[in-house]
Amino acid sequence: MKIYVPMDSAAKALGADEVAEAIAHEAVARGMDVEIIRNGSRGMIWLEPLVELDAGEGRIGFGPVSVEDVPALLDGTLESHGLVEEIPFFARQNRLTFARCGVIAPLDLDAYQAHGGLAGLRRAIGMSGSEIVDEVTESGLRGRGGAGFPTGIKWKTVMLAEASQKYIVCNADEGDSGTFADRMIMEGDPFTLIEGMAIAGLAVGATKGYVYMRSEYPDAIKVMNAAVDIARQQGMLGPRVLGSDRAFDMEIRVGAGAYVCGEETSLLNSLEGKRGVVRAKPPLPALEGFMGRPTVVNNVISLATVPVVLEKGAAHYADFGHNRSRGTVTLQIAGNVRRGGLFEAGFGMTLGEIVNDIAGGTASGRPVKAVQVGGPLGAYMPVGKFHTPMGYEEFDAEGGLIGHAGLVVFDDSADMLKMARFAMEFCAIESCGKCTPCRIGAVRGVETIDRIAAGDGAATELLTDLCDTMRDGSLCALGGFTPFPVMSALSNFPDDFACRKEAAE
Amino acid sequence: MCPPAPHSDATLPCDEDIRALVTPLASLEGPLLPMLHRLQEEYGFIPANAVTVLADILNLGRAEVHGVVSFYHDFRENPAGRHVLKICRAEACQSMGSEDLARDTLARLGIDWHDTTANGSVTVEPVYCLGMCACAPAAMLDDRVVARLDRARMDKLLDEAGA
C-alpha cells in the first residue's frame, strides 16, 4: 500500500512530519508493507495534513490527520473524504499549472516525466526562439506577479535585444500576505519552474537563470536547491539541455527579508548585491536588467505555467479564461475562511462565488465584512462588490486589482480603520527610501489615520490628498498602491472611520 | 588560526576567518548577499569587522557594504537569543487574531518586538507573511514554521525554546 503524506510546509506546520513518522512506526509494528511517499500539497489546506491511502483503487483522502488518528487510519476505521480528486473543492478546478502538485513526490524526476513533465521543454528545443515566443504570446499568458503584463511581449523584447549574455530571473519573493502559490509550486513541483525557466532561456537566448527566493521560505529554498542539483545531474540543466546543443543553467539566491525586493528593479539590485532600492524605469529590465544585461523577470507562476503551454499548445491554454484574462488563475483563498487553500480555475468566477461557495464563508462563522484581493497593496472589497468577476480589467473597473490572486477574508469583527493604518505602517517599514511620497508619505499616513481615530474629521480629506500624492508620485507599486487598501477601506467602510469621531465627541 | 584579539570580545571572529569563509563565494555574480548570509549562518550576526573585509574583497566602499547590511531586516549587527521566534503580523494572520496572540506572547515574555528575553533564550521579531495564509495565524521558531496557532500551542513553543 502507498501512503502519501505531504511535505509542503503548510502541511508540516500542521504536523505532517509527526504523522509520517507515526505511520512509519505503526506500520513496522504491525508488519505492514507500506511505502510512504512525501508528496506536495493538493492545496486543500483546511484538510492538512491530508493523508492519502492508495491500495490500488485510487487515492483515498483523510484529514486533517493527527498522530492520534494513525492507528485508526491503518485499521481502516478512520472516516475518509473518499477519492481525493472527487472532493468538490478539488473536482471543480482546472489544474494546469498545478497539475502535478500534490500528485507526485516533488523531487522525483521520473514521476515528473510520467505526468507530462519535460514534454514542453523537448518541444521547445525543436523550435526557434521566435516560435516559442509566439506560442507564449498566443496563449495569452499574462504576468502572474500582479501587473498582468503579457509574458510573450516581455520575452520578445529580450529576444530582440543584442547582448553577449542575457538572463532569466524568477521573482520568487512572494511577500504578499494571502499568497502562497509560489511557495506551494516550488515545494510541490519544483521541476516545472526549472523547466519553464529553461524554455524561457531557449526562447530569448539566455543561458543563465536565477531564482530570487525569500528567506521566509526555508523549506522551499531546500527543495529548490535539491531540484536544481538533480536537474543538473540528469542533464535537464547544463551545457547540453536534454542532450541538445543548447545551454542553460541556474542558481537559487535568497533575499534577506525586504518586502520591496518583490518589485522587479529592487530585486535586480538585491541580486547584484546592492541595497534593494527601486530603479527608475526606463531603462526596462528587459533591455538593461541584471548586471545591465537584457533580462526576463517573471513571477514563479508565470514561468511554472510555460511548460504546460508548450506541452498542450497555446490554444488549449487560452481556451480557459474570460475576456482578456486568458488561461487559469491560481486563487489563494486565505484568512478567515472555512475552506482555505489553492484553487486553480479559469478566470471569470465572481468574488462572491469564490468566498461563499468555494471557500464556504468564514472560519469563525460570522458574516464576511471584507476581502482583500491582491495582497497588502490590494483593495478591500466589500460584500457589495461580490458580483465582480475575476479578471484584470473587471477588478480594475471596481477600483481593485487581482495582483497575485490572493484573497484574504475578514469577518465583521475586522476594524477597517486599523487595517488602513496597518497598510500605511507596513509601507513605512518596508519603503526602500528612494522616493519621497513613499518614504515620508507612509509615515504621515499613519499619523493622519491616528488623527481620524482621535476624532479629527478634517483629517479624512488630508488622507485622501496624501493618497493621491503617493499614488501619482511614487516610483513603484509599494508607495503607489498602498493607497488601494487605505482608500478602499475609507470609501467602502466609512462607518469604521466616522464612528470614532462620534465616540470621541 | 587567528591569534586572540587584544581586549577582545571572544565572540568576534578575526579578519582571516571571515576572509576564509566568504572567499569561495567571490566568483558568484552579485556575491555580497550570499556572503552576508554565510557569515550570519556561521556567527549568528554580521560581525562589525566583516564590513571592512568584505569591502576589501569586493572592491567596494565600507559605506556601501554597511548600507547593504543595514538595509535588510534579516542581517543582525548583534547576536540574537538562542532561538528566534518570528510571529507573522500580515493581514491574513491578522484576520485570524494574530495581533492579540502576539500581544499576549510579548506580555508573557515581558519584552517588546525585537527584544530578547532576560535569560537569553528567545528573540521575538515580527515577520510579514510566511505563506501560511490559509492556516493562520503562523509563526516560525528558528527554521520551523508552525501554523493554526493558538495560545496553548504558542505556550508549548515558548516552553520548547526555554523562554
Side-chain angles (χ1 to χ4, degrees):
Chain A
M1 183 164 57
K2 288 180 179 167
I3 300 183
Y4 295 83
V5 187
M7 58 178 262
D8 178 274
S9 60
K12 285 166 64 171
L14 298 167
D17 282 349
E18 292 77 6
V19 169
E21 205 176 304
I23 292 171
H25 197 258
E26 186 79 16
V28 169
R30 296 176 182 215
M32 286 172 76
D33 182 21
V34 160
E35 183 193 353
I36 297 174
I37 298 165
R38 300 303 298 268
N39 55 336
S41 171
R42 297 271 193 170
M44 294 181 276
I45 307 293
W46 82 98
L47 295 178
E48 295 289 3
L50 174 67
V51 176
E52 299 174 40
L53 256 54
D54 184 358
E57 288 166 10
R59 288 161 67 160
I60 311 287
F62 301 83
V65 174
S66 66
V67 169
E68 293 73 36
D69 293 330
V70 169
L73 176 78
L74 295 181
D75 287 341
T77 56
L78 192 66
E79 199 181 334
S80 87
H81 300 287
L83 289 169
V84 170
E85 298 188 354
E86 289 177 4
I87 297 174
F89 186 95
F90 195 87
R92 291 177 68 175
Q93 300 183 47
N94 296 112
R95 289 204 157 205
L96 298 178
T97 310
F98 281 80
R100 282 173 297 262
C101 191
V103 176
I104 61 170
L107 294 171
D108 184 344
L109 193 55
D110 293 330
Y112 178 74
Q113 292 195 66
H115 287 82
L118 296 186
L121 180 56
R122 287 211 170 84
R123 183 167 165 238
I125 285 171
M127 294 163 79
S128 71
S130 57
E131 283 169 342
I132 302 173
V133 169
D134 286 347
E135 187 89 27
V136 172
T137 307
E138 280 162 31
S139 75
L141 180 64
R142 292 168 72 167
R144 293 294 187 252
F149 191 81
T151 305
I153 307 285
K154 198 184 262 187
W155 287 19
K156 192 171 182 184
T157 310
V158 179
M159 179 184 75
L160 295 175
E162 297 276 344
S164 56
Q165 177 71 57
K166 302 178 188 177
Y167 296 99
I168 307 298
V169 170
C170 172
N171 181 348
D173 194 34
E174 181 181 52
D176 285 352
S177 174
T179 60
F180 46 88
D182 295 357
R183 179 186 65 66
M184 246 185 78
I185 200 92
M186 289 190 290
E187 291 177 355
D189 193 17
F191 293 121
T192 197
L193 173 58
I194 296 172
E195 184 179 350
M197 289 180 68
I199 294 170
L202 297 180
V204 306
T207 53
K208 180 88 204 218
Y210 289 95
V211 184
Y212 183 91
M213 300 183 68
R214 28 194 330 250
S215 60
E216 291 87 343
Y217 284 175
D219 287 304
I221 293 166
K222 280 182 207 133
V223 176
M224 280 306 302
N225 270 311
V228 168
D229 284 346
I230 294 167
R232 206 175 281 139
Q233 282 160 19
Q234 306 283 319
M236 182 180 167
L237 293 173
R240 296 171 57 80
V241 172
L242 296 181
S244 70
D245 58 355
R246 309 291 299 276
F248 187 78
D249 210 335
M250 59 192 277
E251 277 176 40
I252 306 298
R253 288 292 175 85
V254 180
Y259 173 77
V260 74
C261 290
E263 195 282 335
E264 62 177 358
T265 61
S266 38
L267 184 152
L268 291 170
N269 274 337
S270 182
L271 202 56
E272 290 179 7
K274 300 173 182 155
R275 285 177 297 141
V277 288
V278 173
R279 298 178 185 172
K281 288 192 271 192
L284 291 173
L287 298 173
E288 292 180 36
F290 183 58
M291 299 292 179
R293 303 264 175 64
T295 305
V296 167
V297 186
N298 277 153
N299 172 260
V300 173
I301 298 300
S302 316
L303 288 164
T305 303
V306 167
V308 72
V309 170
L310 267 289
E311 179 198 347
K312 304 212 162 150
H316 177 86
Y317 186 76
D319 277 351
F320 297 91
H322 179 75
N323 294 342
R324 287 173 55 206
S325 305
R326 307 313 312 171
T328 56
V329 58
T330 48
L331 299 169
Q332 297 131 84
I333 308 170
N336 195 335
V337 278
R338 249 179 81 199
R339 291 188 292 269
L342 183 123
F343 191 96
E344 181 178 0
F347 282 95
M349 273 180 307
T350 66
L351 182 57
E353 245 181 294
I354 297 163
V355 173
N356 292 328
D357 192 15
I358 294 167
T362 62
S364 59
R366 300 172 65 100
V368 175
K369 178 166 184 174
V371 183
Q372 188 178 29
V373 184
L377 307 177
Y380 285 100
M381 305 286 277
V383 177
K385 292 188 176 178
F386 269 20
H387 59 272
T388 315
M390 272 288 156
Y392 293 102
E393 284 73 26
E394 290 81 355
F395 257 69
D396 188 48
E398 290 292 346
L401 56 112
I402 289 193
H404 194 353
L407 287 77
V408 178
V409 178
F410 291 81
D411 72 13
D412 63 350
S413 66
D415 176 345
M416 301 315 293
L417 179 136
K418 244 168 94 180
M419 299 317 297
R421 185 187 191 279
F422 177 78
M424 284 292 189
E425 186 190 351
F426 181 70
C427 181
I429 294 169
E430 298 297 340
S431 176
C432 81
K434 180 151 178 165
C435 70
T436 317
C438 175
R439 185 183 66 241
I440 307 285
V443 178
R444 293 289 171 264
V446 173
E447 294 166 2
T448 312
I449 294 173
D450 283 343
R451 277 173 59 184
I452 298 174
D456 180 356
T460 311
E461 200 183 323
L462 200 60
L463 180 65
T464 308
D465 189 53
L466 176 66
C467 280
D468 285 347
T469 305
M470 288 177 72
R471 192 191 58 223
D472 297 340
S474 298
L475 260 180
C476 84
L478 179 51
F481 284 14
T482 293
F484 270 102
V486 175
M487 289 310 296
S488 62
L490 181 63
S491 55
N492 293 323
F493 306 94
D495 291 354
D496 285 11
F497 290 77
C499 63
R500 308 285 173 132
K501 192 181 168 194
E502 284 150 24
E505 282 165 358
Chain B
M1 264 309 281
C2 298
H7 0 266
S8 85
D9 176 350
T11 59
L12 214 59
C14 69
D15 292 1
E16 287 71 24
D17 283 348
I18 291 171
R19 194 175 285 273
L21 201 60
V22 300
T23 301
L25 300 167
S27 61
L28 296 177
E29 291 180 300
L32 185 49
L33 255 66
M35 286 178 170
L36 291 171
H37 277 303
R38 184 73 193 89
L39 288 171
Q40 182 144 310
E41 183 184 63
E42 185 73 18
Y43 303 117
F45 67 110
I46 308 296
N49 54 329
V51 171
T52 317
V53 179
L54 293 177
D56 180 50
I57 294 174
L58 300 173
N59 196 25
L60 294 170
R62 275 182 297 158
E64 185 68 25
V65 176
H66 173 75
V68 173
V69 175
S70 59
F71 181 86
Y72 295 96
H73 299 306
D74 281 3
F75 299 129
R76 306 172 186 289
E77 298 182 49
N78 294 297
R82 285 186 292 283
H83 300 280
V84 177
L85 176 69
K86 296 187 179 188
I87 305 176
C88 183
R89 287 197 64 208
E91 288 88 345
C93 282
Q94 286 192 41
S95 78
M96 292 298 280
S98 64
E99 292 290 275
D100 286 349
L101 182 71
R103 200 188 47 232
D104 292 350
T105 305
L106 291 170
R108 174 188 151 173
L109 299 175
I111 57 174
D112 206 345
W113 291 112
H114 304 286
D115 289 348
T116 304
T117 52
N119 67 4
S121 60
V122 187
T123 302
V124 180
E125 294 183 336
V127 65
Y128 298 91
C129 200
L130 296 165
M132 298 291 128
C133 318
C135 45
M140 180 154 79
L141 182 64
D142 301 323
D143 257 7
R144 184 160 61 97
V145 183
V146 186
R148 231 175 260 153
L149 272 173
D150 52 24
R151 209 170 300 181
R153 293 193 73 189
M154 180 62 92
D155 282 345
K156 218 173 126 204
L157 270 188
L158 295 177
D159 291 344
E160 262 176 52

